[in-house]
Amino acid sequence: MSDTDPPGDLQALLDELAPLLVDGSPHAVALGLTLVSLKPGLAVMRAPYAADLVGDPESGILHGGVITALLDHVCGLAAFSGFGGQDTPATLDLRLDYMRPAKPGLDVTAEAVCLKSHGLVAFVRATAHDGDINDPVATAQAAFMVTGASRAAQERAVKALRAGQPL
């Protein structure tokens, strides 16, 4: 979380922005990712089990790219909330350790925590599981950075929303 408390009520801001943080990403929408919860420095998301997301039709196992996208997105949300909900960060570094395939037929949940945010960089850790966080599918370590490009993307999104245009 941030070294300094942001002005205003951060949780109220996060609650207001939460619907846009997943639905504003066409990739997340295409994968069916959903936001379970968002709190200062913490984010939880879910990827549904769906036939069109399976990587191996014979086994029914979800494609690893779904897990990667889920972990990247949930880490980004934890970083965003760790920055106080003011700046949209870009992924600077993402390291994943796959521990086992997700069980066929089960949704995958990812839980992320922003370990530290300072200046323009945030450090995040996450775990993806299919029901038991103590038996992870994968874990992630990530670093996020507020950049000129991420600020420009944020400004375009805000402008489109204010104009009632799709993102």
Side-chain angles (χ1 to χ4, degrees), residues 44-49 59-62 66-67 70-71 98-111 127-139:
V44 180
M45 292 183 71
R46 183 171 294 119
Y49 182 84
S59 68
I61 294 170
L62 280 177
V66 175
I67 308 302
L70 174 66
L71 284 166
Y98 283 93
M99 299 182 182
R100 64 175 179 82
K103 295 174 186 164
L106 298 179
D107 293 350
V108 176
T109 300
E111 303 180 28
T127 301
H129 62 87
D130 52 16
D132 180 0
I133 197 164
N134 294 314
D135 185 20
V137 170
T139 59

Side-chain angles (χ1 to χ4, degrees), residues 10-11 13-19 21-22 33-47 70 73-82 108-114 124 126-127 129 133:
L10 177 55
Q11 188 59 54
L13 175 65
L14 295 175
D15 292 343
E16 181 182 346
L17 294 175
L21 297 174
V22 177
L33 303 183
T34 57
L35 181 62
V36 176
S37 69
L38 182 62
K39 297 177 180 170
L42 303 168
V44 180
M45 292 183 71
R46 183 171 294 119
L70 174 66
H73 206 98
V74 76
C75 285
L77 292 180
F80 173 76
S81 66
V108 176
T109 300
E111 303 180 28
V113 59
C114 182
V124 182
T127 301
H129 62 87
I133 197 164

Side-chain angles (χ1 to χ4, degrees), residues 83 87-92 120 144-154:
F83 278 128
D87 290 306
T88 303
T91 307
L92 182 62
L120 299 175
F144 287 80
M145 185 173 190
V146 176
T147 66
S150 65
R151 283 187 172 143
Q154 177 179 332

Side-chain angles (χ1 to χ4, degrees), residues 49-69:
Y49 182 84
D52 60 340
L53 300 180
V54 167
D56 179 9
E58 197 169 300
S59 68
I61 294 170
L62 280 177
H63 191 282
V66 175
I67 308 302
T68 300

